Amino acid sequence: MHTRSILLAASAALALLAAGPANAAPKKAPADPATALQQRLLTLDTHLDTPASLALPGWSIMDAHTVAQDYTQVDLPRMKRGGLDGGFWAIYTPQGPLTPDATRKARDFAFLRAAAIREMVAAHPESFALASKAADAAAIKASGKRVVYLSIENAWPLGDDPTLLRSFYAMGVRISGFAHFRTNQFADSSTDKAKWDGLSPLGVQLLAEMNRLGVVPDLSHSSDRALDDALRLSKAPLVLTHSGCKAVFDHPRNIDDAHLKALAEAGGVIQINSVYVKGLKQRTERDAAMKALEEKYPEDRTLTADERDAMLAERHAIDTKYPEVRATFDDVMANLLHALKVAGVDHVGIGLDWDGGGGVTGLEDIADLPRITKALLAAGYTEADVAKIWSGNVLRVLAAAEAEAAKEQAGS
């Protein structure tokens, strides 16, 4: 609180005392300590799929939305309520054919998505600011704005030219992944058949380009063998921007304790997500209905306002008829606490995959973030620990990438 505000508050309190008990205002309940701490901390999420919302007809980041209304999870009003200061806004491209024509279209899509993120910032300079260095985040928070780093989920749009990453770096990209749900030209996916036994030769070149530029390599979605290659070859620490623990839920997207320890030993960080935190079995009818909905409204197609309204109505009808079986807040915390136990508090953060499939019962959107902070404090972690988890660890990794890039460029 500013000095002037403190003096005004003190003056008001003295005035109430002088007026006597009859005129005394009712006492205001103290703010929840976890919520107050959340607002003070620099809180970043490493995997925001919210840029996809920017393409929705009539949708604005400045307006308050609800999950029940339109299934979105991040907007400025909710960022303020939940204490989210920003993070890494993803340029996500769904994997398509490995053909020159398809890859060119993916490249153009990715550049337009990057431009849309920058346009969001340019349209609302009082609320958002682009970040390019690790040190920028704290300064942006101090200014009262929200932090916007860019990241790439799925490097497929780079085609066969890893140096194209330089153009995305110039647009603000500071974290980049390799593959998504399907194996591509850079790496094997954790959820597809292996073709390269890890990183491909082109993937090794892309990793070197990341080190040269100061882009943090992201191995979420990539196979364990790709992670092994990156751990062996990268000159800077790695990040898993949105992953979970196989010891809690044995899914290919999650990583085992041995890899957790190896990641930590190399200075890297795992950012715990809220997807694949528990084995869930949906009704066959729901799976079929959702598949039909996705085929009718594919994710790489821009919908008109009427189509968007129709899609939402059909999705609500499916949810009503065939309710989703969902994981819970406790399941997310089980992953987070396990990672902290195995990797240590210096090597764990949070990337919940908002607007990309994340969210569980009790952690519906970013307004619920203080629940995580409250649970961490209850588990015995200090405020300094919580600060590392919410942003300190990933910013340390970004700073290390910057240092490696400076070293390489000075020697070139």
Side-chain angles (χ1 to χ4, degrees):
M1 184 181 290
H2 295 295
T3 302
R4 182 173 181 270
S5 300
I6 294 172
L7 291 173
L8 288 173
S11 298
L14 290 171
L16 285 172
L17 287 172
N23 295 326
K27 291 184 179 179
K28 186 177 181 181
D32 176 67
T35 299
L37 175 59
Q38 198 75 63
Q39 295 292 338
R40 293 199 310 272
L41 293 175
L42 174 56
T43 301
L44 303 177
D45 187 289
T46 49
H47 194 73
L48 301 172
D49 271 313
T50 307
S53 298
L54 301 178
L56 299 176
W59 194 93
S60 172
I61 193 74
M62 305 301 288
D63 297 337
H65 306 265
T66 67
V67 176
Q69 170 196 19
D70 65 7
Y71 298 97
T72 65
Q73 297 170 304
V74 178
D75 52 45
L76 184 61
R78 283 182 287 185
M79 292 179 84
K80 292 178 178 179
R81 281 170 50 206
L84 180 65
D85 293 304
F88 292 79
W89 302 65
I91 302 166
Y92 162 65
T93 312
Q95 182 68 49
L98 296 176
T99 63
D101 183 59
T103 303
R104 279 194 298 270
K105 290 178 180 177
R107 175 202 62 195
D108 294 347
F109 176 89
F111 274 126
L112 288 172
R113 181 56 53 84
I117 298 170
R118 293 180 65 92
E119 286 170 5
M120 176 192 76
V121 176
H124 309 289
E126 75 293 342
S127 300
F128 297 95
L130 289 168
S132 62
K133 298 292 184 183
D136 291 345
I140 291 171
K141 177 180 173 65
S143 73
K145 301 179 183 182
R146 305 290 148 168
V147 180
V148 181
Y149 292 101
L150 275 65
S151 64
I152 290 175
E153 183 177 24
N154 191 6
W156 173 50
L158 300 180
D160 60 359
D161 182 11
T163 65
L164 188 58
L165 184 63
R166 299 173 191 177
S167 296
F168 284 100
Y169 178 87
M171 297 187 78
V173 167
R174 294 299 180 268
I175 288 178
S176 177
F178 292 83
H180 194 243
F181 280 121
R182 291 167 57 188
T183 293
N184 64 13
Q185 71 272 42
F186 294 108
D188 294 328
S189 170
S190 63
T191 49
D192 197 6
K193 292 180 179 179
K195 178 179 180 180
W196 308 108
D197 195 28
L199 295 180
S200 72
L202 205 60
V204 172
Q205 292 179 41
L206 178 58
L207 177 62
E209 188 67 17
M210 292 177 187
N211 287 168
R212 193 192 72 79
L213 289 172
V215 173
V216 179
D218 175 16
L219 275 294
S220 280
H221 280 289
S222 295
S223 69
D224 287 350
R225 294 301 296 270
L227 175 56
D228 290 336
D229 286 345
L231 285 168
R232 176 171 52 87
L233 297 171
S234 182
K235 298 177 183 178
L238 311 177
V239 67
L240 303 176
T241 57
H242 56 304
S243 292
C245 303
K246 274 184 178 164
V248 178
F249 175 41
D250 189 2
H251 188 280
R253 272 282 283 113
N254 296 337
I255 70 168
D256 57 37
D257 286 0
H259 281 97
L260 269 177
K261 292 175 182 176
L263 179 71
E265 289 170 2
V269 178
I270 181 172
Q271 305 284 119
I272 297 299
N273 71 6
S274 57
V275 187
Y276 310 116
V277 294
K278 181 180 182 180
L280 302 171
K281 180 67 175 176
Q282 305 296 337
R283 290 179 61 178
T284 302
E285 296 90 341
R286 178 181 172 86
D287 286 340
M290 288 298 294
K291 182 179 180 182
L293 186 71
E294 291 165 4
E295 290 175 351
K296 185 175 181 180
Y297 304 102
E299 62 181 337
D300 59 350
R301 178 178 145 209
T302 301
L303 304 180
T304 65
D306 288 344
E307 288 174 330
R308 170 72 174 161
D309 290 343
M311 188 276 288
L312 287 174
E314 292 174 40
R315 171 70 187 275
H316 284 304
I318 292 171
D319 286 341
T320 300
K321 191 172 184 180
Y322 310 116
E324 182 182 13
V325 179
R326 305 183 70 200
T328 68
F329 174 81
D330 289 341
D331 297 320
V332 175
M333 287 306 303
N335 277 263
L336 179 56
L337 293 173
H338 180 81
L340 286 164
K341 178 181 177 181
V342 174
V345 74
D346 293 319
H347 303 285
V348 180
I350 294 172
L352 292 165
D353 207 352
W354 297 120
D355 290 324
V360 297
T361 299
L363 190 64
E364 302 288 348
D365 60 21
I366 56 170
D368 293 328
L369 293 185
R371 286 202 68 191
I372 297 176
T373 294
K374 186 174 184 178
L376 287 169
L377 294 173
Y381 290 94
T382 67
E383 291 191 8
D385 294 333
V386 177
K388 291 179 182 179
I389 294 165
W390 275 118
S391 64
N393 292 334
V394 71
L395 291 177
R396 170 184 56 77
V397 169
L398 178 55
E402 294 168 6
E404 173 59 29
K407 178 182 174 183
E408 292 194 27
Q409 291 169 23
S412 62

